[in-house]
Amino acid sequence: MPQHAPANETVSDTELVRRLKARDPEAMEVLVRVHGSKLFGIAYQFTRNENVTEDVVQEALISIWNKIGTFQGRSSFTSWMYRVAANCALMRLRKEKRHINDVSLDQEDIDNAKKPLQLPGNEPLPVHTIQGEELKDHIQRAIDRLPEPYRSVVILKDVEEFSLEEISEMTNASLAAVKSRLHRARLTLRQMLLPYLSVQEAKKL
Amino acid sequence: MNLRIVKKYLKAARHPLGYHCTHMAKLIFDYVEGTLDPLVAAKLEKHLADCPECIEFLQTYRSTKHLCHEHGRVECQMPPEMKDKLLQFVRQSMDKA
């Protein structure tokens, strides 16, 4: 294989998985060329920092190499790989102590399941008829204002569409705690985003 | 009959099916996720038909989820030089392995 293969290289996931399982080191280079951007994209949702994302992607690549034997093809390789990358990003957040201790939050979350979070300046964002990039920016800033682990749960479920069971496993939290956190996060976001949640918009859903 | 029980009956009487608004807050998560028991969901829907406040709450809750899904993902392209750095990292790691 040439040192720099073409950027538009196409290799099926089935073939890539076969080569990774056969411990072909060059398959790792194919993985970077074909899926590197996707791994970067998912890790960046959590870290919001290019340098930290680079570290997380490196950890994810090593993890994929070490764990490929456990991939049984029950989900697509892409979703399995996303999950590994998201796990690495969550571990990084925990190391940086942005992620509050999961265990102690479990009971608190269940007890307060119906209450929005009390954040400073939790008032709704200014009322404007905005669309496109401005709306996107407001929503992303609202998500970023959530404390951990609420922010991660929203990204995992409502943005990246992992299942509740997968999130429970990835965050080492009970299913009940994951549901409560997500519900509280949504209630809080609902308060912040209320000006954009016109009944007309909601009726389309 | 004590006052608490009277209040409970009066509250339920406002909504003949017994699914008054406090139930909505408890059930909305599973209802929106589609994990609510179908019989409970049917009762909840009957309540929704008579309660504009709960309908608005449900719509704005769903809309919040929808907006996060549609607009919550931060688009960020991997810088081209990072791909080269990752390839170098992989080669070094595989050499060590």
Side-chain angles (χ1 to χ4, degrees):
Chain A
M1 181 180 284
Q3 191 76 351
H4 293 285
N8 60 351
E9 179 175 4
T10 54
V11 175
S12 74
D13 281 349
T14 312
E15 172 63 8
L16 184 55
V17 169
R18 190 195 62 73
R19 288 176 61 184
L20 288 169
K21 284 192 173 185
R23 314 312 279 162
D24 173 0
E26 286 181 352
M28 286 299 284
E29 295 185 34
V30 178
L31 179 68
V32 172
R33 281 192 287 270
V34 176
H35 293 299
S37 297
K38 289 180 204 150
L39 291 172
F40 179 87
I42 182 118
Y44 191 82
Q45 302 307 311
F46 297 92
T47 65
R48 300 286 205 266
N49 174 298
E50 281 188 10
N51 292 330
V52 178
T53 302
E54 184 181 348
D55 288 348
V56 170
V57 174
Q58 287 182 356
E59 284 159 21
L61 289 167
I62 295 298
S63 201
I64 289 169
W65 177 253
N66 290 336
K67 292 180 180 170
I68 191 67
T70 67
F71 174 68
Q72 295 180 321
R74 277 190 232 125
S75 61
S76 71
F77 176 62
T78 304
S79 29
W80 181 81
M81 192 179 63
Y82 267 40
R83 197 171 145 178
V84 172
N87 253 328
C88 290
L90 288 172
M91 280 172 67
R92 181 62 178 239
L93 292 184
R94 281 197 199 101
K95 274 185 201 162
E96 290 180 356
K97 299 195 189 300
R98 286 183 64 181
H99 208 289
I100 306 162
N101 184 296
D102 284 331
V103 178
S104 65
L105 270 175
D106 265 26
Q107 194 54 48
E108 187 199 325
D109 277 315
I110 292 163
D111 292 344
N112 295 305
K114 298 193 295 292
K115 296 178 194 164
L117 300 163
Q118 297 303 310
L119 304 181
N122 201 17
E123 69 283 356
L125 294 162
V127 180
H128 287 303
T129 307
I130 59 165
Q131 289 181 331
E133 286 307 307
E134 201 184 349
L135 176 62
K136 203 176 173 72
D137 184 52
H138 276 285
I139 290 162
Q140 287 168 0
R141 277 195 288 126
I143 294 173
D144 280 347
R145 282 174 65 189
L146 294 172
E148 292 295 349
Y150 303 94
R151 175 179 167 270
S152 291
V153 171
V154 168
I155 293 172
L156 288 166
K157 181 68 176 72
D158 290 346
V159 180
E160 299 295 340
E161 295 190 301
F162 285 98
S163 72
L164 293 168
E165 290 75 13
E166 283 175 316
I167 298 167
S168 166
E169 199 179 308
M170 289 161 83
T171 57
N172 297 319
S174 67
L175 192 58
V178 170
K179 286 181 170 187
S180 299
R181 285 172 194 176
L182 184 56
H183 184 53
R184 292 188 76 191
R186 284 178 183 164
L187 291 177
T188 312
L189 288 168
R190 180 181 164 272
Q191 277 183 348
M192 288 194 269
L193 299 171
L194 212 49
Y196 312 117
L197 306 175
S198 74
V199 173
Q200 286 308 312
E201 171 66 22
K203 276 180 181 167
K204 292 178 200 166
L205 303 173
Chain B
M1 191 179 281
N2 69 32
L3 187 62
R4 192 174 58 83
I5 295 174
V6 171
K7 278 184 179 171
K8 189 179 163 189
Y9 275 111
L10 285 174
K11 212 171 180 182
R14 270 183 245 146
H15 298 283
L17 296 159
Y19 271 83
H20 45 77
C21 304
T22 52
H23 286 87
M24 183 65 190
K26 283 182 191 167
L27 303 174
I28 189 170
F29 181 89
D30 281 312
Y31 183 67
V32 166
E33 291 302 315
T35 51
L36 194 60
D37 179 273
L39 289 176
V40 180
K43 284 186 180 178
L44 189 64
E45 281 164 3
K46 281 184 186 171
H47 166 66
L48 286 169
D50 291 333
C51 186
E53 289 82 8
C54 281
I55 288 176
E56 191 179 343
F57 180 55
L58 173 66
Q59 286 171 337
T60 51
Y61 188 93
R62 270 190 175 147
S63 191
T64 302
K65 181 184 172 185
H66 175 74
L67 283 177
C68 288
H69 180 64
E70 288 293 302
H71 302 289
R73 189 160 223 275
V74 178
E75 299 302 333
C76 183
Q77 293 296 316
M78 182 163 78
E81 66 274 13
M82 197 178 289
K83 189 168 273 190
D84 291 335
K85 284 161 85 177
L86 288 172
L87 283 168
Q88 197 180 353
F89 167 79
V90 160
R91 283 177 201 128
Q92 287 170 353
S93 304
M94 291 300 105
D95 283 347
K96 283 182 201 164

PDB file of all heavy atoms in Angstrom, chain A residues 157-188:
ATOM      1  N   LYS A 157     -28.510  11.302  23.316  1.00  0.00           N
ATOM      2  CA  LYS A 157     -29.849  10.832  22.923  1.00  0.00           C
ATOM      3  C   LYS A 157     -30.469  11.697  21.829  1.00  0.00           C
ATOM      4  O   LYS A 157     -30.836  11.196  20.764  1.00  0.00           O
ATOM      5  CB  LYS A 157     -30.759  10.797  24.164  1.00  0.00           C
ATOM      6  CG  LYS A 157     -32.166  10.302  23.886  1.00  0.00           C
ATOM      7  CD  LYS A 157     -32.181   8.827  23.528  1.00  0.00           C
ATOM      8  CE  LYS A 157     -33.569   8.257  23.339  1.00  0.00           C
ATOM      9  NZ  LYS A 157     -34.231   8.702  22.134  1.00  0.00           N
ATOM     10  N   ASP A 158     -30.613  12.982  22.098  1.00  0.00           N
ATOM     11  CA  ASP A 158     -31.395  13.806  21.169  1.00  0.00           C
ATOM     12  C   ASP A 158     -30.579  14.278  19.964  1.00  0.00           C
ATOM     13  O   ASP A 158     -31.152  14.561  18.917  1.00  0.00           O
ATOM     14  CB  ASP A 158     -31.998  15.009  21.912  1.00  0.00           C
ATOM     15  CG  ASP A 158     -33.093  14.558  22.866  1.00  0.00           C
ATOM     16  OD1 ASP A 158     -33.536  13.411  22.752  1.00  0.00           O
ATOM     17  OD2 ASP A 158     -33.492  15.347  23.736  1.00  0.00           O
ATOM     18  N   VAL A 159     -29.264  14.358  20.110  1.00  0.00           N
ATOM     19  CA  VAL A 159     -28.443  14.773  18.959  1.00  0.00           C
ATOM     20  C   VAL A 159     -27.937  13.544  18.204  1.00  0.00           C
ATOM     21  O   VAL A 159     -28.128  13.425  17.000  1.00  0.00           O
ATOM     22  CB  VAL A 159     -27.265  15.678  19.408  1.00  0.00           C
ATOM     23  CG1 VAL A 159     -26.428  16.095  18.205  1.00  0.00           C
ATOM     24  CG2 VAL A 159     -27.782  16.924  20.145  1.00  0.00           C
ATOM     25  N   GLU A 160     -27.292  12.614  18.916  1.00  0.00           N
ATOM     26  CA  GLU A 160     -26.656  11.477  18.241  1.00  0.00           C
ATOM     27  C   GLU A 160     -27.523  10.226  18.166  1.00  0.00           C
ATOM     28  O   GLU A 160     -27.157   9.246  17.530  1.00  0.00           O
ATOM     29  CB  GLU A 160     -25.327  11.130  18.928  1.00  0.00           C
ATOM     30  CG  GLU A 160     -24.300  12.269  18.900  1.00  0.00           C
ATOM     31  CD  GLU A 160     -23.824  12.629  17.499  1.00  0.00           C
ATOM     32  OE1 GLU A 160     -23.964  11.795  16.587  1.00  0.00           O
ATOM     33  OE2 GLU A 160     -23.338  13.759  17.321  1.00  0.00           O
ATOM     34  N   GLU A 161     -28.650  10.242  18.873  1.00  0.00           N
ATOM     35  CA  GLU A 161     -29.645   9.162  18.809  1.00  0.00           C
ATOM     36  C   GLU A 161     -29.156   7.787  19.258  1.00  0.00           C
ATOM     37  O   GLU A 161     -29.497   6.773  18.647  1.00  0.00           O
ATOM     38  CB  GLU A 161     -30.240   9.071  17.394  1.00  0.00           C
ATOM     39  CG  GLU A 161     -31.031  10.301  17.025  1.00  0.00           C
ATOM     40  CD  GLU A 161     -31.816  10.135  15.751  1.00  0.00           C
ATOM     41  OE1 GLU A 161     -31.184   9.875  14.716  1.00  0.00           O
ATOM     42  OE2 GLU A 161     -33.049  10.246  15.805  1.00  0.00           O
ATOM     43  N   PHE A 162     -28.347   7.761  20.313  1.00  0.00           N
ATOM     44  CA  PHE A 162     -28.057   6.474  20.950  1.00  0.00           C
ATOM     45  C   PHE A 162     -29.304   6.054  21.720  1.00  0.00           C
ATOM     46  O   PHE A 162     -30.116   6.894  22.116  1.00  0.00           O
ATOM     47  CB  PHE A 162     -26.877   6.601  21.922  1.00  0.00           C
ATOM     48  CG  PHE A 162     -25.536   6.698  21.235  1.00  0.00           C
ATOM     49  CD1 PHE A 162     -24.926   7.925  21.033  1.00  0.00           C
ATOM     50  CD2 PHE A 162     -24.886   5.554  20.796  1.00  0.00           C
ATOM     51  CE1 PHE A 162     -23.697   8.022  20.393  1.00  0.00           C
ATOM     52  CE2 PHE A 162     -23.649   5.648  20.158  1.00  0.00           C
ATOM     53  CZ  PHE A 162     -23.056   6.871  19.962  1.00  0.00           C
ATOM     54  N   SER A 163     -29.460   4.749  21.966  1.00  0.00           N
ATOM     55  CA  SER A 163     -30.627   4.284  22.722  1.00  0.00           C
ATOM     56  C   SER A 163     -30.412   4.558  24.207  1.00  0.00           C
ATOM     57  O   SER A 163     -29.271   4.732  24.656  1.00  0.00           O
ATOM     58  CB  SER A 163     -30.858   2.790  22.495  1.00  0.00           C
ATOM     59  OG  SER A 163     -29.854   2.050  23.171  1.00  0.00           O
ATOM     60  N   LEU A 164     -31.514   4.573  24.959  1.00  0.00           N
ATOM     61  CA  LEU A 164     -31.413   4.816  26.405  1.00  0.00           C
ATOM     62  C   LEU A 164     -30.556   3.736  27.065  1.00  0.00           C
ATOM     63  O   LEU A 164     -29.776   4.028  27.978  1.00  0.00           O
ATOM     64  CB  LEU A 164     -32.812   4.844  27.026  1.00  0.00           C
ATOM     65  CG  LEU A 164     -33.698   6.016  26.596  1.00  0.00           C
ATOM     66  CD1 LEU A 164     -35.132   5.788  27.031  1.00  0.00           C
ATOM     67  CD2 LEU A 164     -33.170   7.329  27.172  1.00  0.00           C
ATOM     68  N   GLU A 165     -30.697   2.505  26.586  1.00  0.00           N
ATOM     69  CA  GLU A 165     -29.923   1.399  27.162  1.00  0.00           C
ATOM     70  C   GLU A 165     -28.427   1.595  26.892  1.00  0.00           C
ATOM     71  O   GLU A 165     -27.593   1.368  27.772  1.00  0.00           O
ATOM     72  CB  GLU A 165     -30.386   0.058  26.580  1.00  0.00           C
ATOM     73  CG  GLU A 165     -31.765  -0.396  27.025  1.00  0.00           C
ATOM     74  CD  GLU A 165     -32.911   0.362  26.350  1.00  0.00           C
ATOM     75  OE1 GLU A 165     -32.654   1.073  25.351  1.00  0.00           O
ATOM     76  OE2 GLU A 165     -34.047   0.269  26.846  1.00  0.00           O
ATOM     77  N   GLU A 166     -28.101   2.025  25.668  1.00  0.00           N
ATOM     78  CA  GLU A 166     -26.689   2.269  25.340  1.00  0.00           C
ATOM     79  C   GLU A 166     -26.125   3.385  26.221  1.00  0.00           C
ATOM     80  O   GLU A 166     -25.003   3.295  26.711  1.00  0.00           O
ATOM     81  CB  GLU A 166     -26.552   2.675  23.864  1.00  0.00           C
ATOM     82  CG  GLU A 166     -26.667   1.523  22.886  1.00  0.00           C
ATOM     83  CD  GLU A 166     -26.648   1.991  21.429  1.00  0.00           C
ATOM     84  OE1 GLU A 166     -27.330   2.994  21.106  1.00  0.00           O
ATOM     85  OE2 GLU A 166     -25.976   1.354  20.617  1.00  0.00           O
ATOM     86  N   ILE A 167     -26.935   4.436  26.427  1.00  0.00           N
ATOM     87  CA  ILE A 167     -26.465   5.571  27.234  1.00  0.00           C
ATOM     88  C   ILE A 167     -26.251   5.142  28.684  1.00  0.00           C
ATOM     89  O   ILE A 167     -25.289   5.542  29.332  1.00  0.00           O
ATOM     90  CB  ILE A 167     -27.456   6.748  27.138  1.00  0.00           C
ATOM     91  CG1 ILE A 167     -27.540   7.239  25.689  1.00  0.00           C
ATOM     92  CG2 ILE A 167     -27.048   7.897  28.054  1.00  0.00           C
ATOM     93  CD1 ILE A 167     -28.691   8.182  25.401  1.00  0.00           C
ATOM     94  N   SER A 168     -27.166   4.302  29.161  1.00  0.00           N
ATOM     95  CA  SER A 168     -27.041   3.787  30.530  1.00  0.00           C
ATOM     96  C   SER A 168     -25.694   3.066  30.695  1.00  0.00           C
ATOM     97  O   SER A 168     -24.966   3.274  31.669  1.00  0.00           O
ATOM     98  CB  SER A 168     -28.216   2.845  30.808  1.00  0.00           C
ATOM     99  OG  SER A 168     -27.997   2.091  31.944  1.00  0.00           O
ATOM    100  N   GLU A 169     -25.375   2.252  29.697  1.00  0.00           N
ATOM    101  CA  GLU A 169     -24.113   1.496  29.742  1.00  0.00           C
ATOM    102  C   GLU A 169     -22.907   2.437  29.617  1.00  0.00           C
ATOM    103  O   GLU A 169     -21.935   2.321  30.356  1.00  0.00           O
ATOM    104  CB  GLU A 169     -24.127   0.503  28.580  1.00  0.00           C
ATOM    105  CG  GLU A 169     -23.155  -0.634  28.738  1.00  0.00           C
ATOM    106  CD  GLU A 169     -23.255  -1.583  27.547  1.00  0.00           C
ATOM    107  OE1 GLU A 169     -24.370  -2.025  27.215  1.00  0.00           O
ATOM    108  OE2 GLU A 169     -22.217  -1.843  26.946  1.00  0.00           O
ATOM    109  N   MET A 170     -23.010   3.385  28.697  1.00  0.00           N
ATOM    110  CA  MET A 170     -21.870   4.274  28.440  1.00  0.00           C
ATOM    111  C   MET A 170     -21.586   5.216  29.606  1.00  0.00           C
ATOM    112  O   MET A 170     -20.442   5.603  29.829  1.00  0.00           O
ATOM    113  CB  MET A 170     -22.150   5.120  27.179  1.00  0.00           C
ATOM    114  CG  MET A 170     -22.115   4.326  25.906  1.00  0.00           C
ATOM    115  SD  MET A 170     -22.962   5.165  24.548  1.00  0.00           S
ATOM    116  CE  MET A 170     -21.709   6.249  23.976  1.00  0.00           C
ATOM    117  N   THR A 171     -22.639   5.617  30.315  1.00  0.00           N
ATOM    118  CA  THR A 171     -22.437   6.598  31.395  1.00  0.00           C
ATOM    119  C   THR A 171     -22.382   5.939  32.778  1.00  0.00           C
ATOM    120  O   THR A 171     -22.294   6.641  33.785  1.00  0.00           O
ATOM    121  CB  THR A 171     -23.564   7.654  31.382  1.00  0.00           C
ATOM    122  OG1 THR A 171     -24.829   6.982  31.503  1.00  0.00           O
ATOM    123  CG2 THR A 171     -23.544   8.466  30.101  1.00  0.00           C
ATOM    124  N   ASN A 172     -22.460   4.614  32.818  1.00  0.00           N
ATOM    125  CA  ASN A 172     -22.468   3.887  34.099  1.00  0.00           C
ATOM    126  C   ASN A 172     -23.571   4.383  35.025  1.00  0.00           C
ATOM    127  O   ASN A 172     -23.380   4.497  36.233  1.00  0.00           O
ATOM    128  CB  ASN A 172     -21.113   4.018  34.826  1.00  0.00           C
ATOM    129  CG  ASN A 172     -19.995   3.410  34.038  1.00  0.00           C
ATOM    130  OD1 ASN A 172     -20.152   2.342  33.457  1.00  0.00           O
ATOM    131  ND2 ASN A 172     -18.869   4.106  33.980  1.00  0.00           N
ATOM    132  N   ALA A 173     -24.695   4.712  34.465  1.00  0.00           N
ATOM    133  CA  ALA A 173     -25.831   5.174  35.280  1.00  0.00           C
ATOM    134  C   ALA A 173     -27.009   4.233  35.040  1.00  0.00           C
ATOM    135  O   ALA A 173     -27.103   3.597  33.980  1.00  0.00           O
ATOM    136  CB  ALA A 173     -26.207   6.590  34.867  1.00  0.00           C
ATOM    137  N   SER A 174     -27.911   4.169  36.021  1.00  0.00           N
ATOM    138  CA  SER A 174     -29.078   3.296  35.853  1.00  0.00           C
ATOM    139  C   SER A 174     -29.973   3.865  34.752  1.00  0.00           C
ATOM    140  O   SER A 174     -29.921   5.074  34.454  1.00  0.00           O
ATOM    141  CB  SER A 174     -29.863   3.211  37.157  1.00  0.00           C
ATOM    142  OG  SER A 174     -30.442   4.469  37.443  1.00  0.00           O
ATOM    143  N   LEU A 175     -30.815   3.005  34.189  1.00  0.00           N
ATOM    144  CA  LEU A 175     -31.729   3.458  33.139  1.00  0.00           C
ATOM    145  C   LEU A 175     -32.664   4.545  33.696  1.00  0.00           C
ATOM    146  O   LEU A 175     -32.941   5.543  33.013  1.00  0.00           O
ATOM    147  CB  LEU A 175     -32.544   2.261  32.626  1.00  0.00           C
ATOM    148  CG  LEU A 175     -33.336   2.452  31.353  1.00  0.00           C
ATOM    149  CD1 LEU A 175     -32.438   2.863  30.183  1.00  0.00           C
ATOM    150  CD2 LEU A 175     -34.095   1.181  31.002  1.00  0.00           C
ATOM    151  N   ALA A 176     -33.104   4.356  34.944  1.00  0.00           N
ATOM    152  CA  ALA A 176     -34.001   5.351  35.560  1.00  0.00           C
ATOM    153  C   ALA A 176     -33.306   6.703  35.684  1.00  0.00           C
ATOM    154  O   ALA A 176     -33.907   7.755  35.425  1.00  0.00           O
ATOM    155  CB  ALA A 176     -34.451   4.856  36.934  1.00  0.00           C
ATOM    156  N   ALA A 177     -32.032   6.678  36.047  1.00  0.00           N
ATOM    157  CA  ALA A 177     -31.284   7.942  36.179  1.00  0.00           C
ATOM    158  C   ALA A 177     -31.094   8.605  34.818  1.00  0.00           C
ATOM    159  O   ALA A 177     -31.219   9.829  34.696  1.00  0.00           O
ATOM    160  CB  ALA A 177     -29.936   7.685  36.842  1.00  0.00           C
ATOM    161  N   VAL A 178     -30.821   7.805  33.798  1.00  0.00           N
ATOM    162  CA  VAL A 178     -30.647   8.366  32.437  1.00  0.00           C
ATOM    163  C   VAL A 178     -31.940   9.042  31.995  1.00  0.00           C
ATOM    164  O   VAL A 178     -31.937  10.176  31.500  1.00  0.00           O
ATOM    165  CB  VAL A 178     -30.246   7.267  31.427  1.00  0.00           C
ATOM    166  CG1 VAL A 178     -30.314   7.782  29.997  1.00  0.00           C
ATOM    167  CG2 VAL A 178     -28.848   6.763  31.723  1.00  0.00           C
ATOM    168  N   LYS A 179     -33.073   8.366  32.219  1.00  0.00           N
ATOM    169  CA  LYS A 179     -34.369   8.933  31.827  1.00  0.00           C
ATOM    170  C   LYS A 179     -34.633  10.233  32.576  1.00  0.00           C
ATOM    171  O   LYS A 179     -35.074  11.216  31.981  1.00  0.00           O
ATOM    172  CB  LYS A 179     -35.498   7.937  32.129  1.00  0.00           C
ATOM    173  CG  LYS A 179     -35.575   6.765  31.176  1.00  0.00           C
ATOM    174  CD  LYS A 179     -36.742   5.878  31.586  1.00  0.00           C
ATOM    175  CE  LYS A 179     -37.046   4.809  30.564  1.00  0.00           C
ATOM    176  NZ  LYS A 179     -38.259   4.065  30.897  1.00  0.00           N
ATOM    177  N   SER A 180     -34.369  10.225  33.876  1.00  0.00           N
ATOM    178  CA  SER A 180     -34.620  11.421  34.688  1.00  0.00           C
ATOM    179  C   SER A 180     -33.733  12.581  34.247  1.00  0.00           C
ATOM    180  O   SER A 180     -34.178  13.720  34.149  1.00  0.00           O
ATOM    181  CB  SER A 180     -34.362  11.134  36.157  1.00  0.00           C
ATOM    182  OG  SER A 180     -35.226  10.137  36.593  1.00  0.00           O
ATOM    183  N   ARG A 181     -32.467  12.279  33.987  1.00  0.00           N
ATOM    184  CA  ARG A 181     -31.542  13.337  33.560  1.00  0.00           C
ATOM    185  C   ARG A 181     -31.972  13.938  32.231  1.00  0.00           C
ATOM    186  O   ARG A 181     -31.962  15.146  32.044  1.00  0.00           O
ATOM    187  CB  ARG A 181     -30.124  12.774  33.417  1.00  0.00           C
ATOM    188  CG  ARG A 181     -29.461  12.539  34.729  1.00  0.00           C
ATOM    189  CD  ARG A 181     -28.153  11.809  34.562  1.00  0.00           C
ATOM    190  NE  ARG A 181     -27.724  11.325  35.860  1.00  0.00           N
ATOM    191  CZ  ARG A 181     -26.655  10.587  36.060  1.00  0.00           C
ATOM    192  NH1 ARG A 181     -25.896  10.236  35.038  1.00  0.00           N
ATOM    193  NH2 ARG A 181     -26.331  10.193  37.270  1.00  0.00           N
ATOM    194  N   LEU A 182     -32.343  13.040  31.322  1.00  0.00           N
ATOM    195  CA  LEU A 182     -32.746  13.525  29.999  1.00  0.00           C
ATOM    196  C   LEU A 182     -34.016  14.355  30.109  1.00  0.00           C
ATOM    197  O   LEU A 182     -34.132  15.415  29.483  1.00  0.00           O
ATOM    198  CB  LEU A 182     -32.951  12.320  29.065  1.00  0.00           C
ATOM    199  CG  LEU A 182     -33.274  12.609  27.609  1.00  0.00           C
ATOM    200  CD1 LEU A 182     -32.209  13.502  26.967  1.00  0.00           C
ATOM    201  CD2 LEU A 182     -33.377  11.314  26.826  1.00  0.00           C
ATOM    202  N   HIS A 183     -34.949  13.901  30.944  1.00  0.00           N
ATOM    203  CA  HIS A 183     -36.201  14.641  31.121  1.00  0.00           C
ATOM    204  C   HIS A 183     -35.937  16.022  31.728  1.00  0.00           C
ATOM    205  O   HIS A 183     -36.455  17.031  31.240  1.00  0.00           O
ATOM    206  CB  HIS A 183     -37.136  13.820  32.019  1.00  0.00           C
ATOM    207  CG  HIS A 183     -38.483  14.436  32.201  1.00  0.00           C
ATOM    208  ND1 HIS A 183     -39.281  14.810  31.135  1.00  0.00           N
ATOM    209  CD2 HIS A 183     -39.183  14.769  33.320  1.00  0.00           C
ATOM    210  CE1 HIS A 183     -40.417  15.333  31.603  1.00  0.00           C
ATOM    211  NE2 HIS A 183     -40.364  15.317  32.922  1.00  0.00           N
ATOM    212  N   ARG A 184     -35.094  16.061  32.744  1.00  0.00           N
ATOM    213  CA  ARG A 184     -34.780  17.357  33.376  1.00  0.00           C
ATOM    214  C   ARG A 184     -34.043  18.272  32.401  1.00  0.00           C
ATOM    215  O   ARG A 184     -34.281  19.474  32.362  1.00  0.00           O
ATOM    216  CB  ARG A 184     -33.920  17.152  34.634  1.00  0.00           C
ATOM    217  CG  ARG A 184     -34.647  16.466  35.752  1.00  0.00           C
ATOM    218  CD  ARG A 184     -33.824  16.476  37.011  1.00  0.00           C
ATOM    219  NE  ARG A 184     -33.839  17.786  37.640  1.00  0.00           N
ATOM    220  CZ  ARG A 184     -33.038  18.124  38.642  1.00  0.00           C
ATOM    221  NH1 ARG A 184     -32.150  17.282  39.102  1.00  0.00           N
ATOM    222  NH2 ARG A 184     -33.127  19.329  39.186  1.00  0.00           N
ATOM    223  N   ALA A 185     -33.146  17.686  31.632  1.00  0.00           N
ATOM    224  CA  ALA A 185     -32.409  18.487  30.646  1.00  0.00           C
ATOM    225  C   ALA A 185     -33.374  19.068  29.617  1.00  0.00           C
ATOM    226  O   ALA A 185     -33.288  20.245  29.252  1.00  0.00           O
ATOM    227  CB  ALA A 185     -31.348  17.622  29.964  1.00  0.00           C
ATOM    228  N   ARG A 186     -34.337  18.244  29.168  1.00  0.00           N
ATOM    229  CA  ARG A 186     -35.299  18.726  28.171  1.00  0.00           C
ATOM    230  C   ARG A 186     -36.190  19.820  28.761  1.00  0.00           C
ATOM    231  O   ARG A 186     -36.513  20.796  28.074  1.00  0.00           O
ATOM    232  CB  ARG A 186     -36.172  17.571  27.672  1.00  0.00           C
ATOM    233  CG  ARG A 186     -35.463  16.658  26.688  1.00  0.00           C
ATOM    234  CD  ARG A 186     -36.403  15.530  26.310  1.00  0.00           C
ATOM    235  NE  ARG A 186     -35.789  14.559  25.418  1.00  0.00           N
ATOM    236  CZ  ARG A 186     -36.307  13.350  25.201  1.00  0.00           C
ATOM    237  NH1 ARG A 186     -37.417  12.973  25.823  1.00  0.00           N
ATOM    238  NH2 ARG A 186     -35.710  12.522  24.373  1.00  0.00           N
ATOM    239  N   LEU A 187     -36.601  19.637  30.034  1.00  0.00           N
ATOM    240  CA  LEU A 187     -37.436  20.671  30.662  1.00  0.00           C
ATOM    241  C   LEU A 187     -36.677  21.991  30.746  1.00  0.00           C
ATOM    242  O   LEU A 187     -37.232  23.064  30.525  1.00  0.00           O
ATOM    243  CB  LEU A 187     -37.875  20.227  32.069  1.00  0.00           C
ATOM    244  CG  LEU A 187     -38.866  19.067  32.161  1.00  0.00           C
ATOM    245  CD1 LEU A 187     -39.130  18.719  33.630  1.00  0.00           C
ATOM    246  CD2 LEU A 187     -40.186  19.402  31.468  1.00  0.00           C
ATOM    247  N   THR A 188     -35.385  21.886  31.062  1.00  0.00           N
ATOM    248  CA  THR A 188     -34.548  23.091  31.176  1.00  0.00           C
ATOM    249  C   THR A 188     -34.372  23.743  29.798  1.00  0.00           C
ATOM    250  O   THR A 188     -34.511  24.964  29.661  1.00  0.00           O
ATOM    251  CB  THR A 188     -33.170  22.718  31.764  1.00  0.00           C
ATOM    252  OG1 THR A 188     -33.378  21.895  32.915  1.00  0.00           O
ATOM    253  CG2 THR A 188     -32.384  23.948  32.151  1.00  0.00           C
TER     254      THR A 188
END
